[in-house]
Amino acid sequence: MKTASCTLIVGSFLLTALGCGSTSPDAAAPVTEIYDVVTANEQTLPVALPNSGSCTETGLNATVTLLAVGRFTATYTVREQCGTASLDHNGAFGGSYSRDGTDLVFHPDSGFKPRYAPTTPISGSVIGSTLTAISTPSGLHLTIAAHRR
């Protein structure tokens, strides 16, 4: 089985649900809001993710946590299927965000592999209890919708 690069839903599949790592340096910061990703490109999770390789990748879940200190963490799980073998990859990435009314802009930290973790700002919004974000990791278009817990 090939090894998939670590991922975002928002990620990037996150955020637009999706970097490598399992813990956030901001873990002790007060949480403002937690959102669970429910759709990617208008399809309910789990959802097939765009992939140019011979294996398939499925986004299983993703969460975006907005911290009161202007930071965010996105976590995700992606399943890679190569023939009869499958492997779940868990990951996380973070960064800062700014909010202007309902509009959000996410600025991912550097140092993540770009397959799923975005390296450019991500536009989003929060309307009611729904967060939406649009990302283009590795040139792929990904729109997610997430509901507040």
Side-chain angles (χ1 to χ4, degrees), residues 42-53:
E42 299 183 0
Q43 297 178 346
T44 303
L45 298 183
V47 63
L49 298 175
N51 182 11
S52 60

Side-chain angles (χ1 to χ4, degrees), residues 60-138:
L60 301 178
N61 60 61
T63 301
V64 179
T65 302
L66 303 180
L67 304 173
V69 293
R71 302 278 302 159
F72 76 90
T73 301
T75 60
Y76 60 88
T77 301
V78 172
R79 176 167 295 143
E80 179 182 38
Q81 183 80 34
C82 296
T84 59
S86 69
L87 181 62
D88 289 357
H89 299 276
N90 298 306
F93 68 93
S96 62
Y97 74 92
S98 59
R99 192 174 205 159
D100 182 11
T102 61
D103 295 332
L104 294 170
V105 178
F106 296 93
H107 298 276
D109 291 337
S110 62
F112 297 108
K113 293 183 180 180
R115 173 70 177 110
Y116 294 106
T119 56
T120 58
I122 300 164
S123 298
S125 64
V126 174
I127 298 175
S129 62
T130 302
L131 180 146
T132 58
I134 300 172
S135 178
T136 54
S138 301

